[in-house]
Amino acid sequence: METHFQNAPFKASLDANKEYWYCTCGHSSTFPFCDGSHSGTDKTPIKFSVESDTDKWLCRCGRSGRKPYCDGSHQQQS
């Protein structure tokens, strides 16, 4: 199964008090948001929300220590 991890964050416009699910498996067709593709894996999505309408940078490399948010890990050498 193909993964959708990328070496750059995703700018998401998020609505206040709405539940979002961040994909941790990398297989979601709506990556970085979960579409249920983790079914059958040991991965589980991360539920998150924001208190006010805002734009946030979401991790797409899979290495952030602040998931679902980007912490710049994509800029580090592996």
Side-chain angles (χ1 to χ4, degrees):
M1 186 180 271
E2 177 185 358
T3 63
H4 297 280
F5 289 116
Q6 297 178 20
N7 203 30
F10 174 80
K11 186 176 184 181
S13 294
L14 305 173
D15 298 326
N17 304 312
K18 179 178 177 182
E19 285 186 355
Y20 293 95
W21 293 90
Y22 172 77
C23 171
T24 59
C25 73
H27 299 297
S28 175
S29 63
T30 58
F31 188 76
F33 299 102
C34 178
D35 69 359
S37 294
H38 63 277
S39 183
T41 73
D42 63 348
K43 303 289 185 180
T44 54
I46 297 170
K47 179 178 153 182
F48 72 103
S49 63
V50 293
E51 293 182 8
S52 59
D53 293 355
T54 188
D55 291 340
K56 294 283 186 181
W57 290 97
L58 302 182
C59 174
R60 287 194 301 183
C61 73
R63 296 187 305 258
S64 175
R66 296 183 48 235
K67 290 176 191 160
Y69 307 110
C70 175
D71 69 358
S73 292
H74 63 278
Q75 297 174 344
Q76 299 171 8
Q77 295 291 332
S78 300

